[in-house]
Amino acid sequence: MARVAIVTGGTRGIGEAICLALQEAGVTVIANYGGDDKKAAEFTARTGIEAIKWNVADHQACLDAVAKVEAEHGQVDIIVNNAGITRDGTLLKMTYEMWREVIDVNLGGCFNMAKAAFPGMRKRGFGRIVNIGSINGQAGQYGQVNYAAAKSGIHGFTKALAQEGAKFNVTVNAIAPGYIDTDMVAAVPADVLEKIVAKIPAGRLGQASEIARGVVFLTGDTAGFVTGSTLSINGGQHMY
């Protein structure tokens, strides 16, 4: 029987690439999304992957969504916490709402989804949780104290939960992408993007598919001895 995975923020960018790679690996994939219904419908029509809308910052919504998926598709074996937002600004300009929203979605979403799925994984003796962090959670970034704090928190969350799951064959790992060629990065002004690429030893932006391949490895049956790790995929920009 195929493994069942939920990928949050799964209908675009890195999340879409992860969904497609897991689907190709024979996994039954459910994509979470939080916003654009039209784009989610187009994603499902194009990929055949079911997309379900809920806010990962809403604790009860996450509990309900995992229960719904398990009722319809069977036990959830894999959680990929990819959903993330930015609300950039220097500390002097950042409102509390900008801080709170990023923490609640990016970091709180990891807690909420793990809380929903981890008990069943532990009971069954198998589970794979992959949390998508960021190079900016490792190195920091000007104007992103909220985003950097949330992503750094993800890395600590990963290491702590990995210790709880290890003896039950529930692995918890993180991937820290560098700058990836997605819509979010494409929105960066060209002159700024040129400076970013100049700092990447590989000399280019990463591809979403390169992050997805890391997820496929970490969620596979053969990756049971890999837990508490952060896989940096950043073209050599930051070696941590």
Side-chain angles (χ1 to χ4, degrees):
M1 189 173 180
R3 301 288 189 195
V4 176
I6 296 175
V7 180
T8 68
T11 61
R12 58 192 301 177
I14 291 173
E16 177 177 343
I18 292 169
C19 285
L20 292 173
L22 288 173
Q23 182 188 52
E24 186 176 349
V27 176
T28 298
V29 184
I30 307 299
N32 150 268
Y33 73 102
D36 195 323
D37 295 328
K38 182 179 179 181
K39 285 188 177 179
E42 291 171 350
F43 164 84
T44 297
R46 185 176 70 255
T47 66
I49 296 172
E50 182 180 0
I52 305 177
K53 186 176 185 178
W54 77 88
N55 179 7
V56 296
D58 183 329
H59 183 70
Q60 189 60 50
C62 291
L63 298 179
D64 293 343
V66 170
K68 171 182 170 63
V69 171
E70 292 198 325
E72 296 178 358
H73 299 281
Q75 63 194 42
V76 172
D77 306 293
I78 298 165
I79 295 287
V80 182
N81 286 310
N82 169 72
I85 61 171
T86 56
R87 300 288 184 267
D88 293 350
T90 61
L91 183 65
L92 291 178
K93 296 180 180 179
M94 185 175 293
T95 65
Y96 177 75
E97 288 70 25
M98 293 165 70
W99 166 267
R100 187 76 261 167
E101 190 173 3
V102 169
I103 296 296
D104 286 350
V105 172
N106 296 14
L107 180 56
C110 289
F111 171 83
N112 292 337
M113 292 302 297
K115 185 69 173 178
F118 184 81
M121 294 176 174
R122 183 181 185 275
K123 183 178 180 180
R124 294 188 298 269
F126 181 89
R128 299 286 185 263
I129 298 175
V130 178
N131 303 313
I132 305 300
S134 171
I135 187 175
N136 292 344
Q138 296 173 315
Q141 178 61 44
Y142 183 90
Q144 283 195 328
V145 295
N146 50 3
Y147 186 83
K151 292 298 188 178
S152 180
I154 285 173
H155 297 285
F157 175 87
T158 296
K159 293 176 188 302
L161 187 57
Q163 295 180 52
E164 296 183 29
K167 68 180 179 180
F168 301 102
N169 195 28
V170 179
T171 67
V172 187
N173 292 287
I175 291 179
Y179 285 87
I180 306 301
D181 190 9
T182 62
D183 290 343
M184 183 183 293
V185 171
V188 175
D191 59 328
V192 176
L193 189 58
E194 184 178 347
K195 292 177 182 177
I196 290 172
V197 173
K199 294 180 180 178
I200 302 173
R204 65 174 178 86
L205 297 174
Q207 298 298 311
S209 60
E210 294 176 298
I211 308 302
R213 285 195 289 274
V215 172
V216 171
F217 165 67
L218 290 173
T219 56
D221 289 1
T222 59
F225 204 58
V226 183
T227 195
S229 296
T230 296
L231 176 59
S232 295
I233 305 178
N234 59 37
Q237 185 178 358
H238 181 70
M239 300 183 189
Y240 179 78

